[in-house]
Amino acid sequence: MAGAAASARIAAEHAADRFRERQRLHKQKEEAAEQAQVAATLANLLRSDAFQAWLLESALTSLVADASDLLLDMSSGQFELRIHSKDIEVIDHNDADSTRPVRTLSGGETFQASLALALALSRQVSALAASGAAKLESIFLDEGFGTLDETSLDVVAATLENLAGERMVGVITHVPALADRIPVRFQVTRTGARSHIERITA
């Protein structure tokens, strides 16, 4: 009986050792499978076409997120932007948070969205300067202000005034209400075949 008990104890210990070894091997198998999955994902991403697409998608997502914050402020909380199926959509909070293509925006609304995207892009380019990219110290906006109503024009002008603290902002416009708010401007007057430029300081 004593010999049988000892044999049974030894067999139990061997079984326990084999069970622990099986658990260890199972864990190694799971870790190897996870590493293989990561390697396969990286291999796909690092393919020239896939890697470029991934970078562009990441950059666009970040750009739209920053532009959305700017547009929300410019539109007094009415509009936000989002990426959906690789297209940019607008969220209208004044219409039960409905979503629609950006091409359905009015002229003034389209200008605000375009300005938000341009400002977001300029900020991202400036942020890359620490990594060796060219520093963007100025931005020029050419017209488009004539499509804005008085309220929207005031919001955009205030946004440009705030932006002027970060970099030089140049505005090309024929809208007197906006030109009058620019502290230093160059007025071009054409007389016949010649043009005259006058510096005006507010």
Side-chain angles (χ1 to χ4, degrees):
M1 292 291 293
S7 297
R9 185 170 56 255
I10 293 173
E13 290 175 355
H14 287 170
D17 289 341
R18 288 195 299 271
F19 180 73
R20 286 191 292 269
E21 179 66 12
R22 180 181 177 183
Q23 286 184 315
R24 186 182 68 81
L25 292 174
H26 182 69
K27 183 178 180 181
Q28 286 183 345
K29 179 182 177 181
E30 289 181 338
E31 291 175 350
E34 183 178 349
Q35 291 175 357
Q37 180 62 39
V38 171
T41 301
L42 286 175
N44 288 330
L45 288 177
L46 292 175
R47 285 170 35 214
S48 60
D49 55 343
F51 186 61
Q52 181 180 10
W54 175 74
L55 283 178
L56 290 174
E57 182 179 354
S58 298
L60 182 60
T61 299
S62 177
L63 174 66
V64 172
D66 289 346
S68 181
D69 292 337
L70 290 168
L71 181 59
L72 187 66
D73 182 56
M74 280 193 288
S75 62
S76 300
Q78 181 176 358
F79 297 120
E80 284 188 277
L81 299 174
R82 74 167 189 175
I83 295 289
H84 180 69
S85 299
K86 299 183 179 181
D87 290 327
I88 300 178
E89 291 185 338
V90 61
I91 303 172
D92 190 343
H93 294 298
N94 287 2
D95 188 20
D97 294 342
S98 63
T99 59
R100 51 194 171 95
V102 290
R103 64 176 177 273
T104 62
L105 293 172
S106 67
E109 294 166 349
T110 297
F111 177 80
Q112 286 185 329
S114 300
L115 177 59
L117 286 166
L119 295 179
L121 180 60
S122 69
R123 289 181 178 180
Q124 290 197 0
V125 171
S126 297
L128 292 174
S131 300
K135 187 174 182 181
L136 185 63
E137 297 180 338
S138 60
I139 181 172
F140 285 84
L141 302 173
D142 186 2
E143 224 10 289
F145 302 97
T147 61
L148 301 178
D149 56 34
E150 184 177 351
T151 301
S152 298
L153 184 63
D154 184 67
V155 173
V156 170
T159 301
L160 295 177
E161 289 169 353
N162 293 333
L163 184 66
E166 304 175 16
R167 60 181 63 84
M168 183 184 73
V169 180
V171 177
I172 302 172
T173 182
H174 296 87
V175 180
L178 179 61
D180 290 342
R181 295 183 60 163
I182 299 176
V184 178
R185 64 182 187 269
F186 293 88
Q187 183 169 306
V188 180
T189 304
R190 185 170 183 176
T191 55
R194 304 182 64 182
S195 296
H196 173 70
I197 300 178
E198 179 184 4
R199 178 187 170 115
I200 301 176
T201 303

